[in-house]
Amino acid sequence: DIDECENDFYNGGCVHECINIPGNYRCTCYDGFMLAHDGHNCLDVDECQDNNGGCQQICVNTMGSYECQCKEGFFLSDNQHTCIHRSIEGMNCMNKDHGCAHICRETPKGGVACECRPGFELAKNQKDCKLTCNYGNGGCQHTCDDTDTGPVCGCHQKYALHSDGRTCIEKDEAAIESSEYNATSVADVDKRVKRRLLMETCAVNNGGCDRTCKDTATGVRCSCPVGFTLQPDGKTCKDIDECLVNNGGCDHFCRNTVGSFECSCQKGYKLLTDERTCQDIDECSFERTCDHTCINYPGSFECLCHKGYTLYGLTHCGDIDECSISNGSCDYGCLNTMGSYECVCPPGKKLHWNKKDCVEMVKCLPNAKPAPKAQLVCSKTGGIETCFLSCPSNTLFVPDSENSYTLSCGVPVQQGKAQQKRNATLPSCADSLAPPIKQKARFKIKDAKCHLRPRSKEKIKDTGKQAVLDNCHVTFVNLKCDSSKKKRRGRKSPSKEVSHITAEFEVEMKSEEVSDTCNIDCVRKRMEQKLQTAIKTLRKSINKQQFYIQFSGTEYEVAQKPAKATEGHEACSTGQVLQDGKCVTCSMGTFYSGEHNQCIPCSPGTYQDTEGQLTCEPCPSNDGQGVAGARNVSECGGKFNLCSPGHYSSDGFKPCRICPLGTYQPEPGRTLCFPCGGGLVTKYEGAVSFQDCETKVHCSPGHYYNSTTHRCIRCPVGTYQPEFGQNYCITCPGNTSTDFDGSTNVTHCKNQHCGGELGDYTGYIESPNYPGDYPANVECIWNINPPPKRRILIVVPEIFLPIEDECGDVLVMRKSASPTSITTYETCQTYERPIAFTSRSRKLWIQFKSNEGNSGKGFQVPYVTYDEDYQQLIEDIVRDGRLYASENHQEILKDKKLIKALFDVLAHPQNYFKYTAQESKEMFPRSFIKLLRSKVSRFLRPYK
């Protein structure tokens, strides 16, 4: 292999850098230059063409570089790209006449010290900045040499310096040829031979070759560097458009450049360090992408919310206020809860099983079988008392925590404030309604934990004859078992576990037991005594750990000694089963069988509308018909078929009546129809929505119909209505609100909360409702106060503030709230190119203000604090235009994972060793590593 680059003077014909490769070579240019079409010369890149060079206001292109400038009334901030507005002149650096050419620093004594950007040196007057060859090649097109008077430009041997002292122009080829011709002029040689000999040697005019010329026995042979192809004339070289073949090997976009090409990716993908492959960015792997569930798609992602919540601001989830949507369809009152809601009834009425309608307390199902009652049976065998509580219907099991649970069985006669979580099956008419007998008892079990577990088989041995002591039919039982440790003060508490059981019993009085010999009071006394005796026996059985509860034929121990709880399969708590290594709660329509340790579908004639229960509830008509796995009463089926929308009946089941004119019913299984109100009629009977009511005016989205005034009223602030002709507005989800009244969409609902997390080492600030549009008239203030001897570095990956507003929405970063204090950053416009900068003050006061005008996506701005010993290095890096020059570098500053890794190392340099060399190499493109390496080695050079 010939090293074409060996001759420093000729340098392979390359004006900047020559790279030798086997059998060939290629030319490259310094940053700020691009290869010319001849593949050897380098031309200035006009950075201002691309997104205004990242300058906020004015971009001025220079040879090999560019610089940003500001309009009248603004001055350039330290980051050399954004402009700071000065309506009130401050002192020193905050006065635009501070006199520093580049960067102004305030001295401890209150004076001013000037600094220069990378690649410049401070002039003798301590204010101006002198250019060096380190910045934009010193403004020279080809070669640059630093001298005392500043950079001096030179040209490659094939070029001559232009009169401007910077640019290089090709020497007149004719002039070269004529001078060489005269030198070899021999009068007696035929001119044609001369011409042939001249053409046939590389010494003259490079043998006519565009690029490389080689003398061979048969004459000259021309060749081209990599990225160029020899044309049919055998002399000329033409750039190869690599993008034409297989898209240049790029996954997405290929852009041809002289002598080479560049790959780039679609939005939502990142270019890997092989600079060809595009990889989907998994947004779901970032922290805080979605409030609830995140689904990653190629090039994008989607956020979903749990049931009862709705999406706002693209990624956030807020509780739906169902009560604002036609009163939750409730017959009477509606109570919104997080992720759900409940209908409530007035005194004297109770909730129907459809959980919406209110029915008379005395209502009973004449043809229904009485709901089976809970039964407490205690017996004595061989001197040991054993008690069983069987729970055939209306049971609810609530695991409160790992070591406590609540269990209820039956229906309390008066459902007090602590409304039961479950709707009871309607009682049959045989049930009496005299006030019940209530008793409460507390029990202790030593050395046992509150785990409801199936009774182990070996315990169920029949030991002789059983004597039944007590047999109580109980209307309602509520059991709470709690073994969570309570800290005792003073003396050391024994380490033994103690479980406390609280039981409440309600027993109903039977009217048929009243006779001439024993009136109602006498019956009451007898029942009370009977219940007290049963509780005494129960206490004995609990002490001997012989109290069991029976659900669906399985007996459960109320609490267990720890030794027993260590069986292998009991990895999950009761009501849950192991699925793919996770504990999953048994779903609605199934119950947990402790005997089989699995979720079993409800048998026909039963249903279960709550997760994680131990039995299913009997359907109102318990004739065993219907479907298996019913999730609510309406799925019970059998002869109880539901009334369809537009119909109703006394119990919600067939036979049904049609909703009369002037009423409507959107849901199945209801006991009433809703009136249109205001004397309005419907177009027909059996109407299914308010939109069927013949209103006097038709309301558009963002309005609701008032049936009293027969007018359309704009939805108030904090509500919205996407549909035509509705009589309600939906309340915004969670704690969001709208900027104005008459909103038509949930996207108008915005969170007002100023976002962010402010840590000592890393953190971020975020506009309210980000990444949704921020609200109007909001003001946020953040204070970053780093630990001693640490400075702040900020990266603004992108910021979206509408420019139409005459700077109505502003983000400003200053030393303090005082408008004249040192300002680090200020902007009131959209800026999609990333920018990094160090804070000019040790602390930062950051303010974001919006007006009532247009809105935008806003910003999410991360920061890191670093050891002030590195100040010079960090500033050298962030002020270098090359950090922002290439698209790949810009993507790094927008890449949340890479920024996190960079910040991690800046905050705690020792964390650098967490990353292997291979990992680092795969994280960042070569050009970025090269930029950092040169900076770091320059910074460390004094120590070498």
Side-chain angles (χ1 to χ4, degrees), residues 629-675:
R631 291 171 303 189
N632 51 47
V633 174
S634 53
E635 287 183 8
C636 273
K639 68 173 187 216
F640 278 105
N641 286 332
L642 294 186
C643 292
S644 54
H647 296 74
Y648 73 104
S649 72
S650 62
D651 58 6
F653 288 120
K654 289 179 179 170
C656 310
R657 281 177 287 179
I658 194 161
C659 286
L661 287 175
T663 69
Y664 61 95
Q665 178 50 265
E667 297 181 353
R670 297 296 294 259
T671 66
L672 69 142
C673 298
F674 296 115

Side-chain angles (χ1 to χ4, degrees), residues 161-220:
L161 194 65
H162 186 276
S163 54
D164 66 6
R166 296 163 175 274
T167 324
C168 295
I169 46 174
E170 288 196 55
K171 288 180 184 167
D172 185 4
E173 291 287 358
I176 304 173
E177 192 166 343
S178 63
S179 64
E180 301 220 4
Y181 179 76
N182 291 345
T184 56
S185 174
V186 179
D188 58 347
V189 182
D190 175 64
K191 281 186 179 174
R192 275 175 314 178
V193 175
K194 260 193 297 182
R195 185 171 295 115
R196 217 176 128 231
L197 284 172
L198 285 171
M199 293 303 288
E200 294 283 324
T201 168
C202 294
V204 179
N205 191 19
N206 198 33
C209 298
D210 241 10
R211 303 295 170 77
T212 318
C213 176
K214 203 170 177 189
D215 284 311
T216 65
T218 54
V220 297

Side-chain angles (χ1 to χ4, degrees), residues 675-846:
C676 291
L680 298 176
V681 292
T682 47
K683 299 166 192 154
Y684 36 76
E685 291 184 324
V688 296
S689 87
F690 178 76
Q691 285 147 323
D692 295 330
C693 300
E694 296 196 307
T695 53
K696 305 263 165 67
V697 278
H698 194 53
C699 298
S700 58
H703 297 76
Y704 71 97
Y705 186 82
N706 182 325
S707 304
T708 317
T709 60
H710 299 289
R711 288 227 176 101
C712 292
I713 295 171
R714 285 172 74 83
C715 288
V717 169
T719 68
Y720 65 100
Q721 177 50 266
E723 292 178 32
F724 281 96
Q726 283 295 7
N727 59 339
Y728 62 89
C729 292
I730 306 168
T731 302
C732 277
N735 41 12
T736 62
S737 187
T738 58
D739 288 338
F740 42 81
D741 60 358
S743 293
T744 57
N745 198 303
V746 69
T747 55
H748 298 157
C749 296
K750 299 173 183 178
N751 194 332
Q752 314 284 318
H753 172 71
C754 302
E757 279 176 24
L758 305 179
D760 275 353
Y761 293 94
T762 56
Y764 70 99
I765 62 162
E766 184 176 83
S767 52
N769 205 51
Y770 183 88
D773 289 356
Y774 52 80
N777 298 315
V778 73
E779 183 183 17
C780 294
I781 288 173
W782 299 271
N783 284 291
I784 305 178
N785 205 343
K789 290 193 175 295
R790 292 186 83 78
R791 299 300 293 249
I792 308 165
L793 168 69
I794 291 165
V795 172
V796 182
E798 50 187 10
I799 179 164
F800 299 90
L801 306 176
I803 195 150
E804 306 83 85
D805 275 8
E806 313 282 273
C807 271
D809 302 343
V810 189
L811 174 67
V812 61
M813 303 186 186
R814 291 201 292 259
K815 182 177 180 177
S816 70
S818 155
T820 56
S821 69
I822 305 176
T823 305
T824 292
Y825 178 82
E826 185 171 20
T827 188
C828 57
Q829 67 187 64
T830 294
Y831 200 73
E832 289 191 51
R833 280 176 69 131
I835 179 99
F837 50 88
T838 54
S839 164
R840 301 182 59 175
S841 45
R842 221 189 63 73
K843 303 193 283 201
L844 269 188
W845 176 89
I846 303 173

